[in-house]
Amino acid sequence: MMLDSYGRKINYLRISVTDLCNLRCKYCMPEDGISKLCHQDILTVEEIVKIADIFVSLGVYKVRLTGGEPLVRNGIIDLAKGIGGLEGIEDFTITTNAVLLERYAKDLREAGLNRVNISLDTLNADKFADITRGGRLSDVFKGIEAAKREGLIPIKINVVLVGGFNDDEIEDFIRLTEEEWIDVRFIELMPMGEAIGFNSEYFISNQSILERVPALTKVKSEDISSPATYYRMPNGKGRVGLINPISCKFCENCNRIRMTAQGKLKLCLHSDEEIDIKTALRDGKDIEAIILNAIENKPESHHLEDGKYISKDMYRIGG
Ligand code: SAM
Ligand code: SF4
């Protein structure tokens, strides 16, 4: 078991497998996309599996693949097989925009993936094309259907609330939880990367959801390290989660660490500090010792509320 210096159990590794994406969400990616990194600058599939294996041997049992868009990574199915086959993994998941999920859901399930989180900010096709700069909503719906068919459940849909864009759809998303066994989680827009320049009216607090939908009642979560507080509609099948990174910190129960596609270990999403695991691995260093030392230095909490934002975009870290 890995404990940090504040006594938190670190058991959850989020791996960003690529910086690239097939969408260009306005708050996340620059309009022109990003330049592709050289092959040798990103971890190979084998290296990612090797590092994940070391983490699992140290006590990690939850692994999530993210990006960029993880499903555009070359070799994603081999990667999923490698991680899905590690002894000791209990929860293997992916965060995806679902555009390619119809194509890959079956292979992912066969590789050992347990479930998916799908990012979807609007249920309106025109608005979807607008916020993603060209995405097709029907692809996402096909992806959701494929995930259901393959039993990659419970499906969680993550909605980033952008004031003036999708706050008029809050009730529609909540209705989904009444009709389907799907959890919908609202995430406050975070002032990082592309979103730093957004005016304050784009940032709306999740609290407004509870004011608008008083029928939501709080449900007890089994997982104290989850950043979401969960609610349910009367007779709701799925739950409604509120994730408030700014207005309500969840650092004290943080159990996660992140690794970027370039093999940098990030101890906190909101810190610029990184530890270069890729170079250490290629130099034949003792990765286990480096990880244990890094965990010792995981920061106690973020300081977003004081205006301490990082400059990196979400697509580089994986959210
Ligand atoms: N491409 C995949 C996807 O969209 O699910 C995985 C990577 S994406 C960076 C992970 C999550 O970060 C998405 O749910 C996205 O909406 C969220 N995200 C990106 N920028 C954000 C921001 N500034 N504030 C809050 N969430 C953000
Ligand atoms: Fe791509 Fe996900 Fe960022 Fe949208 S949020 S641009 S889908 S990485």
Side-chain angles (χ1 to χ4, degrees):
M1 177 169 54
M2 271 190 294
L3 285 180
D4 73 3
S5 53
Y6 300 96
R8 293 172 297 194
K9 269 185 213 152
I10 309 301
N11 50 31
Y12 179 14
L13 173 65
R14 298 172 66 103
I15 307 174
S16 173
V17 299
T18 179
D19 285 356
L20 301 176
C21 187
N22 45 0
L23 297 180
R24 299 274 179 280
C25 301
K26 286 180 175 168
Y27 52 76
C28 176
M29 280 259 178
E31 185 157 15
D32 299 333
I34 51 153
S35 42
K36 203 171 170 185
L37 295 164
C38 292
H39 246 319
Q40 71 262 28
D41 290 337
I42 62 165
L43 290 171
T44 65
V45 165
E46 293 72 27
E47 286 171 333
I48 295 175
V49 175
K50 190 164 180 183
I51 296 169
D53 192 13
I54 297 172
F55 271 106
V56 171
S57 73
L58 289 172
V60 162
Y61 58 84
K62 286 176 75 167
V63 173
R64 173 176 301 279
L65 303 183
T66 174
E69 172 48 42
L71 298 183
V72 303
R73 165 81 198 221
N74 277 336
I76 183 67
I77 298 302
D78 287 339
L79 178 50
K81 278 183 192 153
I83 292 180
L86 294 176
E87 192 79 26
I89 294 226
E90 290 173 22
D91 194 22
F92 179 28
T93 59
I94 196 166
T95 299
T96 172
N97 60 33
V99 168
L100 293 172
L101 193 54
E102 186 185 32
R103 188 187 303 173
Y104 288 127
K106 183 167 186 284
D107 290 344
L108 288 170
R109 199 252 308 141
E110 285 173 0
L113 194 83
N114 299 117
R115 55 193 178 84
V116 287
N117 283 12
I118 294 173
S119 305
L120 178 62
D121 300 331
T122 172
L123 298 168
N124 173 294
D126 292 335
K127 283 166 74 177
F128 184 76
D130 176 48
I131 192 102
T132 61
R133 300 196 183 98
R136 254 199 331 232
L137 184 62
S138 56
D139 293 339
V140 180
F141 287 151
K142 284 181 203 158
I144 294 175
E145 286 312 309
K148 282 195 224 160
R149 236 179 3 254
E150 294 301 329
L152 294 171
I153 51 170
I155 293 174
K156 291 184 181 157
I157 293 187
N158 290 335
V159 184
V160 174
L161 267 187
V162 183
F165 172 74
N166 59 1
D167 43 344
D168 59 335
E169 293 188 62
I170 289 172
E171 285 84 356
D172 298 338
F173 275 110
I174 291 179
R175 202 165 307 120
L176 264 184
T177 70
E178 297 178 279
E179 292 162 0
E180 307 228 27
W181 302 101
I182 284 180
D183 287 348
V184 169
R185 309 191 314 165
F186 293 98
I187 303 174
E188 289 175 358
L189 180 65
M190 287 187 260
M192 53 193 297
E194 289 294 301
I196 285 181
F198 281 28
N199 285 332
S200 58
E201 62 262 31
Y202 288 110
F203 296 92
I204 51 174
S205 160
N206 270 338
Q207 188 56 34
S208 58
I209 296 172
L210 296 177
E211 284 156 20
R212 273 171 61 166
V213 189
L216 284 170
T217 48
K218 202 164 177 172
V219 290
K220 222 174 152 224
S221 170
E222 323 76 63
D223 180 5
I224 60 151
S225 62
S226 168
T229 309
Y230 282 104
Y231 300 80
R232 204 185 281 278
M233 290 299 279
N235 305 320
K237 292 178 176 164
R239 299 171 302 172
V240 175
L242 304 186
I243 301 182
N244 314 322
I246 303 166
S247 58
C248 171
K249 286 167 82 159
F250 35 79
C251 304
E252 76 186 78
N253 293 320
C254 184
N255 62 343
R256 57 191 65 192
I257 33 169
R258 298 175 156 81
M259 192 168 63
T260 70
Q262 294 166 68
K264 304 274 170 58
L265 196 62
K266 287 190 75 75
L267 300 160
C268 170
L269 174 60
H270 301 289
S271 157
D272 276 322
E273 202 191 324
E274 299 177 335
I275 294 127
D276 186 354
I277 299 282
K278 170 170 68 57
T279 308
L281 183 73
R282 291 181 187 174
D283 289 349
K285 300 253 171 68
D286 181 351
I287 301 302
E288 201 175 299
I290 292 171
I291 291 172
L292 289 172
N293 185 48
I295 298 295
E296 274 284 297
N297 294 313
K298 184 172 160 69
E300 185 176 14
S301 71
H302 71 64
H303 298 286
L304 288 175
E305 68 283 13
D306 303 333
K308 292 201 177 124
Y309 309 135
I310 56 162
S311 50
K312 248 189 183 178
D313 294 81
M314 237 10 175
Y315 64 82
R316 291 210 187 280
I317 315 167

